Amino acid sequence: MKAIVNVALKQGVLDDQGKATHHALDTLGFKEIVKDVRIGKQIILELNSDNEKDAKTEVKNMCEKLLANTVIEDYSIEIIG
Amino acid sequence: MKAIVNVALKQGVLDDQGKATHHALDTLGFKEIVKDVRIGKQIILELNSDNEKDAKTEVKNMCEKLLANTVIEDYSIEIIG
């Protein structure tokens, strides 16, 4: 079983990596098309589990303890059977 | 229009960030459930475009020029209308 966790900065939190990338894209000629850039992490976990509900609970624990800084980040979990 | 770009290391390329996260999860008590961890970037682009095909071509150019290191990384693009 696999879990895909997407971790992104909460709205309103300054995304300096996104700003820097946006600036670089502007200088590369994409100024007209790019309005905003935000960058997050995608964590792919291979799991020893065959129960989707249990797996989701465990991954939520991992997010709360380590994978996301829940003060400034949101996370989403997708379990792939 | 929005584009979601997922950038991940190619299979076979050592993912030291993933290894370190895996080790940390082990020490936090998730040893039994986690078999492997790989970490990538998720880039969310707000675009000035109303043509999905053109948008995808532009975002592919952005990936090739800046967003992905195509020697060691793969990328996928999802356009959201």
Side-chain angles (χ1 to χ4, degrees):
Chain A
M1 190 169 280
K2 196 151 84 162
I4 296 182
V5 176
N6 289 315
V7 179
L9 288 169
K10 291 183 177 186
Q11 283 304 331
V13 176
L14 176 67
D15 180 351
D16 48 7
Q17 200 182 356
K19 286 262 171 290
T21 303
H22 190 175
H23 181 68
L25 287 171
D26 283 356
T27 54
L28 284 170
F30 297 103
K31 196 172 179 64
E32 300 309 313
I33 183 166
V34 178
K35 285 196 290 191
D36 190 35
V37 180
R38 289 187 74 80
I39 296 185
K41 279 180 294 195
Q42 182 169 78
I43 303 161
I44 300 169
L45 300 156
E46 293 285 341
L47 302 172
N48 272 320
S49 175
D50 46 22
N51 178 304
E52 197 159 324
K53 200 163 164 285
D54 291 352
K56 188 144 195 180
T57 306
E58 289 278 355
V59 174
K60 190 168 170 18
N61 282 335
M62 295 178 208
C63 290
E64 295 288 328
K65 285 184 179 171
L66 180 76
L67 303 179
N69 173 348
T70 51
V71 173
I72 59 168
E73 292 175 328
D74 289 324
Y75 62 87
S76 64
I77 300 168
E78 182 188 352
I79 302 289
I80 299 173
Chain B
M1 190 170 279
K2 197 151 86 162
I4 296 181
V5 176
N6 289 315
V7 179
L9 288 169
K10 291 184 177 186
Q11 282 305 331
V13 176
L14 175 67
D15 180 353
D16 48 7
Q17 199 181 356
K19 286 266 171 288
T21 303
H22 190 174
H23 180 68
L25 287 171
D26 282 358
T27 54
L28 284 171
F30 297 105
K31 196 171 180 63
E32 299 309 313
I33 182 166
V34 178
K35 285 196 290 192
D36 190 34
V37 181
R38 290 187 73 79
I39 297 186
K41 278 179 296 196
Q42 182 168 77
I43 303 161
I44 299 169
L45 300 156
E46 294 285 341
L47 302 172
N48 271 320
S49 176
D50 46 23
N51 178 304
E52 196 158 325
K53 202 164 163 283
D54 291 351
K56 189 146 194 179
T57 305
E58 290 278 355
V59 173
K60 190 168 171 15
N61 282 335
M62 295 178 208
C63 290
E64 296 287 329
K65 285 184 179 171
L66 180 76
L67 302 179
N69 173 349
T70 51
V71 173
I72 58 168
E73 292 174 328
D74 289 323
Y75 62 86
S76 64
I77 301 168
E78 182 188 349
I79 302 290
I80 298 172

